[in-house]
Amino acid sequence: MSEQQQSEQPDGRAGRRVVIVGAGMAGVQTAVALREQGFTGPVALIGAEPHQPYDRPPLSKAVLLGKAEDSAFDIDFEALDIELRLGVEVTGLRPDAHELDTAAGAVPYDVLVIATGAEPVVLPGTEGVAGVHLLRTLDDAARLRPVLGEQHDVVIVGAGWIGAEFATAARAAGCAVTVVEAAGRPLAGALPAEVAAPMAAWYADSGAELLTGTRVDRVEPGRVVLADGRVIPAGAVVVGIGARPATGWLAGSGIELGPDGSVTADEALRTSLPDVYAVGDCASFPSARYGERLLVHHWDNALQGPRTAAAHILAADAGDGPAAPAYDPVPYFWSEQFDRFVQYAGHHGGADTLLWRGDPAGPAWSVCWLRGGVLVAVLAVGRPRDLAQGRKLIEAGARLDPEAVADPSVPLKSAVRP
């Protein structure tokens, strides 16, 4: 008798076997959410890495600086009756057969959850070059720890969130740090120029050199050659130029992907294939709140989305049971860099008003974005109360008084118009 046949119950649904591909935050939380919400059928979690499932944010902080050996989730998978299949790479999906292809053989599923996350973009021409690193996995962090421990000169390509966090860790370890950014400012893909501009000074304040509007021509062992001919010594090169959904293995499956390579999920995080869901960094979803499809590459999305997917899986099992809620979160993320705690909630695309709260040259300030007078996003640097209140106001669709918002002494919750 096959695994699939064994999982079937007399009603054909209650014992459906759920297979989750991807053992990062999104995959792990999907498995946990299924159990927390009462799912009693078989659950299998497949991970390509051999390590116990772990959290990624500590990689750029505690693990990298040797303050922790790993960041494994404190979850008793055995007690939850969650089958772990680690070190198994899934290479394909055959929806007609309800099977996954792996090097270890076919894996049947009744319900599939895709949680394969994102993979870092590789700097062209650096494949196989000694001393070039990415920072995405536990093994990446392990390879970089001795680089920091030996205080090598480090060149970081990309002044995004990962670049800033690694620069912070490298400076804390005593390394000489140069950050090379092709755009004219840090965080060019994430924030407007006027908001990102003050952050450029943080690099110099920390002792790191930031080169904006500068492209890398090539990387050679021990050095980086820039497009303008300058040569920078580099005991190590860390590339942080973005990430793309890890969905290449879905080629030929018939699953709908967006132009960015993300799985196109609906408001229930269902994909275009029957019995297949997608959560986390690999999936985009329609936001009624913002009137557009969002692809969110942040930890909170990998925590929240699985709860919705699990609820819809259980609702499907229940048949005529109550409908599960649509997935439409207020996106949230944070970054610890250069002795600053940066938080962001919402989505500022489409905003028509930008308001400052505080002096961006100071240690604490925030920015609010309004659309038609309604708060849609907030960025807070050292102002956690602005973030906490702003996030709730965004969820509520609150209309704010711009004059009150622009006064940093006025709590955001007091800026709500009647």
Side-chain angles (χ1 to χ4, degrees), residues 308-329:
T308 295
H312 282 275
I313 291 170
L314 267 76
D317 278 351
D320 296 331
Y327 188 59
D328 194 7

PDB file of all heavy atoms in Angstrom, residues 308-329:
ATOM      1  N   THR A 308      -2.544  31.551   7.808  1.00  0.00           N
ATOM      2  CA  THR A 308      -3.660  31.645   6.865  1.00  0.00           C
ATOM      3  C   THR A 308      -3.742  30.400   5.999  1.00  0.00           C
ATOM      4  O   THR A 308      -4.829  29.842   5.785  1.00  0.00           O
ATOM      5  CB  THR A 308      -3.500  32.898   5.982  1.00  0.00           C
ATOM      6  OG1 THR A 308      -3.607  34.065   6.793  1.00  0.00           O
ATOM      7  CG2 THR A 308      -4.572  32.937   4.900  1.00  0.00           C
ATOM      8  N   ALA A 309      -2.599  29.948   5.475  1.00  0.00           N
ATOM      9  CA  ALA A 309      -2.599  28.744   4.633  1.00  0.00           C
ATOM     10  C   ALA A 309      -3.141  27.554   5.405  1.00  0.00           C
ATOM     11  O   ALA A 309      -3.964  26.777   4.895  1.00  0.00           O
ATOM     12  CB  ALA A 309      -1.185  28.468   4.127  1.00  0.00           C
ATOM     13  N   ALA A 310      -2.680  27.390   6.662  1.00  0.00           N
ATOM     14  CA  ALA A 310      -3.158  26.269   7.480  1.00  0.00           C
ATOM     15  C   ALA A 310      -4.668  26.347   7.694  1.00  0.00           C
ATOM     16  O   ALA A 310      -5.376  25.331   7.614  1.00  0.00           O
ATOM     17  CB  ALA A 310      -2.429  26.268   8.820  1.00  0.00           C
ATOM     18  N   ALA A 311      -5.175  27.555   7.954  1.00  0.00           N
ATOM     19  CA  ALA A 311      -6.617  27.724   8.174  1.00  0.00           C
ATOM     20  C   ALA A 311      -7.411  27.324   6.939  1.00  0.00           C
ATOM     21  O   ALA A 311      -8.480  26.700   7.045  1.00  0.00           O
ATOM     22  CB  ALA A 311      -6.918  29.165   8.561  1.00  0.00           C
ATOM     23  N   HIS A 312      -6.908  27.651   5.768  1.00  0.00           N
ATOM     24  CA  HIS A 312      -7.625  27.306   4.536  1.00  0.00           C
ATOM     25  C   HIS A 312      -7.526  25.816   4.225  1.00  0.00           C
ATOM     26  O   HIS A 312      -8.457  25.228   3.660  1.00  0.00           O
ATOM     27  CB  HIS A 312      -7.122  28.155   3.377  1.00  0.00           C
ATOM     28  CG  HIS A 312      -7.663  29.551   3.389  1.00  0.00           C
ATOM     29  ND1 HIS A 312      -8.886  29.873   2.840  1.00  0.00           N
ATOM     30  CD2 HIS A 312      -7.172  30.699   3.919  1.00  0.00           C
ATOM     31  CE1 HIS A 312      -9.120  31.174   3.023  1.00  0.00           C
ATOM     32  NE2 HIS A 312      -8.094  31.696   3.677  1.00  0.00           N
ATOM     33  N   ILE A 313      -6.402  25.193   4.576  1.00  0.00           N
ATOM     34  CA  ILE A 313      -6.281  23.744   4.400  1.00  0.00           C
ATOM     35  C   ILE A 313      -7.308  23.040   5.279  1.00  0.00           C
ATOM     36  O   ILE A 313      -7.999  22.118   4.838  1.00  0.00           O
ATOM     37  CB  ILE A 313      -4.851  23.288   4.726  1.00  0.00           C
ATOM     38  CG1 ILE A 313      -3.876  23.793   3.656  1.00  0.00           C
ATOM     39  CG2 ILE A 313      -4.774  21.761   4.823  1.00  0.00           C
ATOM     40  CD1 ILE A 313      -2.418  23.598   4.001  1.00  0.00           C
ATOM     41  N   LEU A 314      -7.423  23.489   6.529  1.00  0.00           N
ATOM     42  CA  LEU A 314      -8.413  22.889   7.424  1.00  0.00           C
ATOM     43  C   LEU A 314      -9.840  23.191   6.971  1.00  0.00           C
ATOM     44  O   LEU A 314     -10.729  22.339   7.085  1.00  0.00           O
ATOM     45  CB  LEU A 314      -8.196  23.380   8.863  1.00  0.00           C
ATOM     46  CG  LEU A 314      -7.309  22.473   9.710  1.00  0.00           C
ATOM     47  CD1 LEU A 314      -5.845  22.646   9.345  1.00  0.00           C
ATOM     48  CD2 LEU A 314      -7.508  22.722  11.194  1.00  0.00           C
ATOM     49  N   ALA A 315     -10.051  24.401   6.460  1.00  0.00           N
ATOM     50  CA  ALA A 315     -11.394  24.752   5.979  1.00  0.00           C
ATOM     51  C   ALA A 315     -11.789  23.876   4.798  1.00  0.00           C
ATOM     52  O   ALA A 315     -12.934  23.460   4.674  1.00  0.00           O
ATOM     53  CB  ALA A 315     -11.436  26.228   5.592  1.00  0.00           C
ATOM     54  N   ALA A 316     -10.815  23.581   3.935  1.00  0.00           N
ATOM     55  CA  ALA A 316     -11.090  22.699   2.796  1.00  0.00           C
ATOM     56  C   ALA A 316     -11.443  21.303   3.285  1.00  0.00           C
ATOM     57  O   ALA A 316     -12.322  20.632   2.734  1.00  0.00           O
ATOM     58  CB  ALA A 316      -9.886  22.650   1.868  1.00  0.00           C
ATOM     59  N   ASP A 317     -10.764  20.850   4.329  1.00  0.00           N
ATOM     60  CA  ASP A 317     -11.070  19.536   4.898  1.00  0.00           C
ATOM     61  C   ASP A 317     -12.463  19.509   5.516  1.00  0.00           C
ATOM     62  O   ASP A 317     -13.159  18.494   5.487  1.00  0.00           O
ATOM     63  CB  ASP A 317     -10.045  19.177   5.982  1.00  0.00           C
ATOM     64  CG  ASP A 317      -8.757  18.611   5.390  1.00  0.00           C
ATOM     65  OD1 ASP A 317      -8.744  18.353   4.173  1.00  0.00           O
ATOM     66  OD2 ASP A 317      -7.779  18.440   6.131  1.00  0.00           O
ATOM     67  N   ALA A 318     -12.852  20.660   6.093  1.00  0.00           N
ATOM     68  CA  ALA A 318     -14.141  20.724   6.778  1.00  0.00           C
ATOM     69  C   ALA A 318     -15.319  20.758   5.810  1.00  0.00           C
ATOM     70  O   ALA A 318     -16.464  20.544   6.207  1.00  0.00           O
ATOM     71  CB  ALA A 318     -14.183  21.945   7.700  1.00  0.00           C
ATOM     72  N   GLY A 319     -15.030  21.051   4.544  1.00  0.00           N
ATOM     73  CA  GLY A 319     -16.103  21.079   3.556  1.00  0.00           C
ATOM     74  C   GLY A 319     -16.995  22.276   3.720  1.00  0.00           C
ATOM     75  O   GLY A 319     -16.692  23.374   3.257  1.00  0.00           O
ATOM     76  N   ASP A 320     -18.106  22.123   4.425  1.00  0.00           N
ATOM     77  CA  ASP A 320     -19.084  23.200   4.590  1.00  0.00           C
ATOM     78  C   ASP A 320     -18.808  24.061   5.814  1.00  0.00           C
ATOM     79  O   ASP A 320     -19.661  24.829   6.252  1.00  0.00           O
ATOM     80  CB  ASP A 320     -20.504  22.617   4.704  1.00  0.00           C
ATOM     81  CG  ASP A 320     -20.932  21.909   3.429  1.00  0.00           C
ATOM     82  OD1 ASP A 320     -20.447  22.319   2.353  1.00  0.00           O
ATOM     83  OD2 ASP A 320     -21.730  20.964   3.520  1.00  0.00           O
ATOM     84  N   GLY A 321     -17.604  23.949   6.394  1.00  0.00           N
ATOM     85  CA  GLY A 321     -17.284  24.721   7.585  1.00  0.00           C
ATOM     86  C   GLY A 321     -17.114  26.192   7.272  1.00  0.00           C
ATOM     87  O   GLY A 321     -17.240  26.630   6.126  1.00  0.00           O
ATOM     88  N   PRO A 322     -16.847  26.996   8.306  1.00  0.00           N
ATOM     89  CA  PRO A 322     -16.698  28.443   8.105  1.00  0.00           C
ATOM     90  C   PRO A 322     -15.504  28.774   7.218  1.00  0.00           C
ATOM     91  O   PRO A 322     -14.477  28.086   7.242  1.00  0.00           O
ATOM     92  CB  PRO A 322     -16.485  28.963   9.531  1.00  0.00           C
ATOM     93  CG  PRO A 322     -15.964  27.785  10.297  1.00  0.00           C
ATOM     94  CD  PRO A 322     -16.630  26.589   9.694  1.00  0.00           C
ATOM     95  N   ALA A 323     -15.648  29.830   6.443  1.00  0.00           N
ATOM     96  CA  ALA A 323     -14.576  30.246   5.543  1.00  0.00           C
ATOM     97  C   ALA A 323     -13.427  30.854   6.353  1.00  0.00           C
ATOM     98  O   ALA A 323     -13.652  31.568   7.335  1.00  0.00           O
ATOM     99  CB  ALA A 323     -15.098  31.262   4.538  1.00  0.00           C
ATOM    100  N   ALA A 324     -12.205  30.556   5.950  1.00  0.00           N
ATOM    101  CA  ALA A 324     -11.032  31.124   6.614  1.00  0.00           C
ATOM    102  C   ALA A 324     -10.800  32.534   6.079  1.00  0.00           C
ATOM    103  O   ALA A 324     -11.213  32.876   4.967  1.00  0.00           O
ATOM    104  CB  ALA A 324      -9.817  30.246   6.363  1.00  0.00           C
ATOM    105  N   PRO A 325     -10.140  33.393   6.859  1.00  0.00           N
ATOM    106  CA  PRO A 325      -9.929  34.784   6.428  1.00  0.00           C
ATOM    107  C   PRO A 325      -8.937  34.886   5.273  1.00  0.00           C
ATOM    108  O   PRO A 325      -8.078  34.020   5.086  1.00  0.00           O
ATOM    109  CB  PRO A 325      -9.373  35.452   7.692  1.00  0.00           C
ATOM    110  CG  PRO A 325      -8.743  34.338   8.460  1.00  0.00           C
ATOM    111  CD  PRO A 325      -9.602  33.139   8.200  1.00  0.00           C
ATOM    112  N   ALA A 326      -9.073  35.971   4.518  1.00  0.00           N
ATOM    113  CA  ALA A 326      -8.128  36.255   3.438  1.00  0.00           C
ATOM    114  C   ALA A 326      -6.805  36.739   4.035  1.00  0.00           C
ATOM    115  O   ALA A 326      -6.769  37.274   5.144  1.00  0.00           O
ATOM    116  CB  ALA A 326      -8.707  37.317   2.505  1.00  0.00           C
ATOM    117  N   TYR A 327      -5.747  36.551   3.281  1.00  0.00           N
ATOM    118  CA  TYR A 327      -4.436  37.005   3.732  1.00  0.00           C
ATOM    119  C   TYR A 327      -4.185  38.412   3.204  1.00  0.00           C
ATOM    120  O   TYR A 327      -4.058  38.619   2.009  1.00  0.00           O
ATOM    121  CB  TYR A 327      -3.345  36.061   3.226  1.00  0.00           C
ATOM    122  CG  TYR A 327      -1.973  36.363   3.816  1.00  0.00           C
ATOM    123  CD1 TYR A 327      -1.779  36.320   5.192  1.00  0.00           C
ATOM    124  CD2 TYR A 327      -0.897  36.678   3.009  1.00  0.00           C
ATOM    125  CE1 TYR A 327      -0.535  36.588   5.745  1.00  0.00           C
ATOM    126  CE2 TYR A 327       0.355  36.937   3.552  1.00  0.00           C
ATOM    127  CZ  TYR A 327       0.530  36.887   4.915  1.00  0.00           C
ATOM    128  OH  TYR A 327       1.762  37.161   5.476  1.00  0.00           O
ATOM    129  N   ASP A 328      -4.153  39.373   4.091  1.00  0.00           N
ATOM    130  CA  ASP A 328      -3.902  40.766   3.686  1.00  0.00           C
ATOM    131  C   ASP A 328      -3.219  41.495   4.840  1.00  0.00           C
ATOM    132  O   ASP A 328      -3.795  42.402   5.458  1.00  0.00           O
ATOM    133  CB  ASP A 328      -5.216  41.449   3.314  1.00  0.00           C
ATOM    134  CG  ASP A 328      -4.988  42.755   2.561  1.00  0.00           C
ATOM    135  OD1 ASP A 328      -3.821  43.067   2.206  1.00  0.00           O
ATOM    136  OD2 ASP A 328      -5.973  43.480   2.315  1.00  0.00           O
ATOM    137  N   PRO A 329      -1.973  41.125   5.147  1.00  0.00           N
ATOM    138  CA  PRO A 329      -1.301  41.692   6.317  1.00  0.00           C
ATOM    139  C   PRO A 329      -0.773  43.099   6.046  1.00  0.00           C
ATOM    140  O   PRO A 329      -0.695  43.543   4.892  1.00  0.00           O
ATOM    141  CB  PRO A 329      -0.123  40.736   6.515  1.00  0.00           C
ATOM    142  CG  PRO A 329       0.228  40.331   5.112  1.00  0.00           C
ATOM    143  CD  PRO A 329      -1.103  40.206   4.401  1.00  0.00           C
TER     144      PRO A 329
END
